Structures are given as structure tokens and as C-alpha cells.
Amino acid sequence: MGPDHSQRRNRLRALVRKAGARYALVADVCNVTYLTGFTGDSSYLLLGPDDDLLISDSRYEIQLDEECPGLDREIRTSRINPADFTVQVLKKARPGTLALEAHKLTKAAWDQLVEALPSTSVVATTGLVEELRAIKDESEIETIRQSIRISERAFEVIRAQLTPDQTELQIAHNLEHQIRQFGGSGCSFEPIVGVGSRGALPHGQPSSMRIGEAPFVLIDWGARYKSYASDLTRILVTGKIPAKLRRLYEVVLSAQRAAIARIRDGAEEVAVDRAARDVIHAARLGKRFGHGLGHGFGLQIHESPLVSPSATGMLRSGMVITIEPGVYLPGWGGIRIEDDVLVTASGCEVLSTLPRELDDCVCDL
């Protein structure tokens, strides 16, 4: 069963009314996709009290017919610029009260709309659609499952083909190729591939360093499938397992397990982060774990919720998050283990299936 975009818009309608507005202009491209199924750009959704309108341009007429049949639209031609056309559509709608995405519109765009609509009361809103997107419906969860499967299959090919002469860049490029081979539209972000000491860079860019130059490599990657992302990290051991690697790896793996055990509907995000951080602190490595434990993902690779020491919310059933503790030692390397987890009423389901035990991460080169 596909997504029910009409139901999503009705849920947003209730939030818009609660914010004190009759209409809402949705400007963020991912939010428009979530609410309509339209995957193009440069388009707005005007959400009304009873009906909805896509504001787009002539490049997308056929695509709109395919992706959003039955949804009313106003189509701009090249004779008028997008901002002026949006104003024309809004004037015709006479919204009275209009909610705008304050966190998405530039000040210049905001000022233009306010000035052009003197009889409209503008309401600043933040994160209304993102609040809905944080809890995935069944169709989204199934699509994310498929994205994860594609990611894992691509990784398994990379692992089977690994040679000492391959560079970080070659592995990153091959991941993109394999993801497309298995049905993905590409990577959900630029893969992170760090051999040995370069694994200490949590967001390091792939380089010309070769696999054979160190006994292990960190790979952080994800696929995009039907607009939805996945996000995984594994360590691959390409030589004899160093004692230091085994000791540190067990700390990180224990931290991840402790956090996953705390995940359930109603759990405080900060408490889940603390469960992992306490394990790493107990090993006297707390200063080497500087980033948050995890984040939501879906249409974007980073979405609500945030699982970190500064988090203030609670996990809810239907949220899909990463759990990715790490330890990074400059000059030696980094260890991060990342899995994708679905929050459920009774606990959680780890959606990713690649082995996590260190002995299962050894490659025969």
C-alpha cells in the first residue's frame, strides 16, 4: 500500500488550525514531497481549509500528472518569476490568515510575501510538517526497509571484492555504483571511507589512501530508494585484529547495545544517549566520543528526532533512528558502529542486519 498523502495533509491542516491560521504555504521541497508525492523542486503547496493547491512550473506538468493525479495546481510559465507568481496565487486565494515556514523561507522571501499581502495575517510556524515526518507510517517504514536492504547488498559486494590496492575513493565510488545496480537512486550522502588513522575523522572525505596501508577501515554509507534514505557504518578488518582494536571495538559495541536496550515508545532521547555514553565514559574514553548518539532519517538523512546529550524530547512508536556510538583516537583511527532502528510500542526493531561482532567483520584479502 502506498502513502496516503491526503491523510497527511489533513493531519497538517489540524496543526495549522491549532497555530491560528486557515491556510499554510509549504515551501520546503522535502515537506512538499511528503505531503503530495511530487518529487520535483521549485514548487510550493498551498494548504487550504478544504482543498489544496500545488504551485509549480511548466517543466513539471507531465510529472505532476503522474505523481499527483487529482491535486489542483497552478502552473507558472517563464514569463513571470516564481516569487511574483506565488503572490498572484495567494492574492487569488485570499487566505486571511497564512502560516509560513519561518525556518525555511529567507527573510527576503518572507518580507516580499508580507508586503504583497497587506490584508493577510501571517503566522510564523516552525517544524509543523517535520513533526509529522518524525513518525513514519507503514509505507515509509517499508520503503526504508528496502533502502537498508539495498545498502547492505551493496556493502556485501564491496566487501567480497576488497583488495589491498583499492583506495578509499574507489570504494566510495563503487558503493554508489552497486547501490544503483540493486535499484537505489544513489547514495543518501557521500560515503565516508577511512583507512586506519583516517577513521578518526568522523566525517572524513575519501582519499587516495589504500586499504592495505592499515589493518582496518571504517565505512559509513547509505542508499536512497524512492526518495528515502538509510544510514549504516561498519568496521572491516583487513589484517590481523590488533589487540587495541578489539578492546576499543568491544567498548563501542557494548555502548550501542546498552542504548538499543533503552529504546521504546516514551523513552527520553537524552536517556538513550546517556546509556551509550555511560559505557564509553566508564572505559575512560568519554572525551573521544564527541558527537550525538543518533538521529532520525527518512526523506532527509538528518531529521527529527535527535538522540544526543542536548535532546529534550521523547521517542515515539514509528520513529526510525540511527544508533551510532563512536570512539576516535587521532593518529590511530576511529571506531563507529551504526545501525538503523525502528521504535515500537514495546521496544524496538533493529532494521539493519549486517553482522556487528568484530570476528564477523574480518575480510580475507
Side-chain angles (χ1 to χ4, degrees):
M1 181 182 296
D4 188 338
H5 297 107
S6 177
Q7 184 182 67
R8 292 177 183 176
R9 295 194 296 272
N10 285 335
R11 291 166 61 203
L12 177 61
R13 231 181 298 278
L15 295 180
V16 170
R17 286 196 299 267
K18 187 176 179 180
R22 295 182 68 244
Y23 284 75
L25 186 67
V26 180
D28 178 77
V29 62
C30 285
N31 289 345
V32 172
T33 297
Y34 176 77
L35 295 166
T36 67
F38 175 57
T39 59
D41 57 17
S42 307
S43 302
Y44 291 170
L45 173 69
L46 180 61
L47 188 88
D50 302 306
D51 50 14
D52 310 310
L53 183 70
L54 253 175
I55 304 170
S56 190
D57 65 66
S58 56
R59 293 173 299 165
Y60 294 120
E61 285 192 87
I62 296 174
Q63 185 174 336
L64 286 164
D65 288 335
E66 294 175 347
E67 296 181 341
C68 315
L71 189 62
D72 291 338
R73 71 211 48 174
E74 288 281 356
I75 300 297
R76 178 183 65 86
T77 67
S78 59
R79 295 179 181 179
I80 182 171
N81 71 55
D84 290 342
F85 184 69
T86 301
V87 167
Q88 284 185 10
V89 174
L90 289 172
K91 283 182 175 179
K92 187 162 57 174
R94 297 180 181 179
T97 51
L98 177 66
L100 294 179
E101 294 181 308
H103 59 306
K104 296 299 181 181
L105 290 173
T106 65
K107 187 178 186 303
W110 180 282
D111 289 345
Q112 181 180 5
L113 287 171
V114 170
E115 183 179 344
L117 302 167
S119 60
T120 298
S121 176
V122 173
V123 177
T125 62
T126 302
L128 294 188
V129 183
E130 288 82 355
E131 178 182 336
L132 299 177
R133 284 170 50 192
I135 298 177
K136 272 58 179 178
D137 59 34
E138 290 184 9
S139 68
E140 290 178 289
I141 292 169
E142 179 55 34
T143 303
I144 289 170
R145 288 184 191 275
Q146 293 300 318
S147 178
I148 293 169
R149 294 290 88 77
I150 290 169
S151 294
E152 293 182 330
R153 293 177 73 186
F155 180 80
E156 287 167 349
V157 171
I158 295 298
R159 175 175 175 164
Q161 296 178 349
L162 211 59
T163 66
D165 287 337
Q166 286 177 330
T167 67
E168 295 172 349
L169 271 170
Q170 287 172 332
I171 292 169
H173 294 164
N174 200 16
L175 272 168
E176 172 93 23
H177 174 69
Q178 294 301 331
I179 283 169
R180 292 182 183 276
Q181 288 287 97
F182 287 118
S185 57
C187 293
S188 50
F189 56 93
E190 291 295 323
I192 299 164
V193 184
V195 173
S197 61
R198 285 185 42 78
L201 286 75
H203 275 193
Q205 297 293 312
S207 74
S208 58
M209 190 168 181
R210 299 184 184 278
I211 288 295
E213 294 183 50
F216 61 96
V217 56
L218 181 151
I219 303 177
D220 186 341
W221 80 105
R224 188 164 292 281
Y225 174 72
K226 293 185 178 179
S227 299
Y228 280 80
S230 52
D231 191 358
L232 300 165
T233 307
R234 285 294 185 270
I235 298 293
L236 287 179
V237 183
T238 55
K240 183 180 178 181
I241 301 177
K244 185 174 183 177
L245 173 63
R246 184 177 290 280
R247 177 173 62 84
L248 296 179
Y249 191 95
E250 289 304 320
V251 172
V252 176
L253 183 56
S254 295
Q256 193 199 44
R257 286 172 174 158
I260 290 172
R262 293 292 300 271
I263 296 173
R264 61 181 46 81
D265 182 65
E268 292 184 338
E269 296 157 355
V270 70
V272 176
D273 178 274
R274 189 184 307 118
R277 211 164 293 273
D278 284 350
V279 173
I280 294 174
H281 271 283
R284 299 182 179 181
L285 293 165
K287 292 182 179 180
R288 300 304 180 185
F289 178 28
H291 56 74
L293 178 67
H295 55 85
F297 63 94
L299 289 170
Q300 293 174 292
I301 193 60
H302 291 100
E303 294 186 354
S304 179
L306 181 66
V307 184
S308 77
S310 62
T312 58
M314 291 190 298
L315 297 178
R316 294 298 184 194
S317 181
M319 289 179 169
V320 182
I321 59 176
T322 66
I323 297 295
E324 48 179 305
V327 168
Y328 310 93
L329 303 181
W332 179 82
I335 298 167
R336 183 167 64 253
I337 306 169
E338 179 180 18
D339 284 281
D340 298 337
V341 182
L342 170 66
V343 182
T344 67
S346 58
C348 69
E349 178 189 351
V350 180
L351 301 177
S352 38
T353 63
L354 291 172
R356 285 179 282 169
E357 295 290 342
L358 184 59
D359 290 325
D360 292 327
C361 297
V362 177
C363 298
D364 295 324
L365 300 188

